[in-house]
Amino acid sequence: MTITRAVAIVCGTASAHLRVGSSDGIVVNAGAGDAVTLRGLDIAADPTNTTFSGIRLLSAGSLTIANTQLRGFTGTSYAVTIVPTVATVTVLVDRVSIASSAATTAGALLVSPNAGGTVRVTIAHSRFDGSAGTGVRFDSVGKTGVTIAALVDDTLFTANNVALLAKAPAGTGTITLTVLDTTFSRNSYAASINGAVTAMFGNSTISTNGTGLIVQNGAVVRSSGDNRLGGNTTDGAFTAQVAPR
């Protein structure tokens, strides 16, 4: 299904089911001022699907994905792919569960706008589970002038390879990231922050992972002072700590 204008697809009493096989499940290619809402969906990948996403955003003014689960995605595509061509888009992911297959080489959710693009994204009350790739990836690799502003709140990352990745190589753009009330557990790598990224973690738990925190290439990762970073094979460290009020 391709969405080309402002619309709300809402299922309030039981999840509406969509199976993804030989093409992307839902493609959002609406106008730059259009608001699109997807709520109450159950999106599953056919076992033969190794290429396509459950939801792919190409163009819209805003996209809300709420009360939705995606499962069984494998291969080279993320379950949710946010790759807008418009100048600015706002994305809300609320109460969404993405359980990826162990065969996934991509991951659960990718945010990577075109050159010069801005994405403002909030991920709240959600779960990312079991990706052999990346749970959530914010990425400006190979682009220029990209701006990503992201909030991750009250979310669980468990049993992923890399749970959360924010990567902005020099000259490609900037990423600002706030992580609040979030738990990282049983991931190979909990959080990898790389390049022109400024991040703040508050009241979050990073424990029982292989590696807790990786900070590379000039990234700044601050702690509000009330995080719990410990009990990992390798903990890593914040670059700075701000005393909580």
Side-chain angles (χ1 to χ4, degrees):
M1 178 171 61
T2 298
I3 295 171
T4 59
R5 60 181 180 177
V7 69
I9 300 174
V10 177
C11 189
T13 56
S15 296
H17 181 69
L18 175 67
R19 195 168 184 86
V20 177
S22 58
S23 62
D24 293 319
I26 298 174
V27 177
V28 180
N29 196 12
D34 289 340
V36 175
T37 295
L38 306 173
R39 185 184 302 273
L41 305 182
D42 175 16
I43 303 175
D46 187 278
T48 63
N49 171 34
T50 60
T51 308
F52 301 105
S53 295
I55 300 171
R56 183 179 296 272
L57 170 63
L58 300 179
S59 177
S62 67
L63 172 64
T64 297
I65 307 169
N67 300 337
T68 288
Q69 63 175 340
L70 299 99
R71 50 198 170 86
F73 285 85
T74 65
T76 58
S77 285
Y78 285 77
V80 177
T81 303
I82 309 297
V83 286
T85 58
V86 292
T88 302
V89 64
T90 300
V91 177
L92 172 62
V93 176
D94 183 26
R95 303 185 189 280
V96 170
S97 173
I98 302 180
S100 300
S101 165
T104 301
T105 56
L109 190 153
L110 170 67
V111 177
S112 183
N114 270 13
T118 295
V119 174
R120 303 184 183 98
V121 57
T122 298
I123 300 169
H125 319 303
S126 294
R127 179 186 177 105
F128 299 90
D129 185 356
S131 174
T134 305
V136 173
R137 182 180 185 117
F138 304 111
D139 189 343
S140 63
V141 175
K143 316 288 180 64
T144 57
V146 165
T147 301
I148 299 173
L151 168 64
V152 179
D153 183 28
D154 187 25
T155 289
L156 172 64
F157 294 89
T158 185
N160 303 284
N161 180 30
V162 181
L164 176 63
L165 173 64
K167 186 172 184 180
T172 65
T174 59
I175 299 173
T176 56
L177 171 64
T178 303
V179 180
L180 302 175
D181 302 310
T182 289
T183 298
F184 300 83
S185 176
R186 298 188 297 113
N187 305 284
S188 298
Y189 303 89
S192 177
I193 313 299
N194 190 320
V197 183
T198 301
M200 171 66 82
F201 282 67
N203 196 33
S204 294
T205 299
I206 304 174
S207 186
T208 66
N209 303 282
T211 299
L213 188 61
I214 300 173
V215 183
Q216 297 176 313
N217 297 319
V220 175
V221 183
R222 298 185 176 94
S223 168
S224 63
D226 54 0
N227 296 290
R228 295 157 293 280
L229 173 60
N232 307 285
T233 303
T234 303
D235 285 334
F238 296 101
T239 58
Q241 183 160 302
V242 178
R245 294 181 178 179

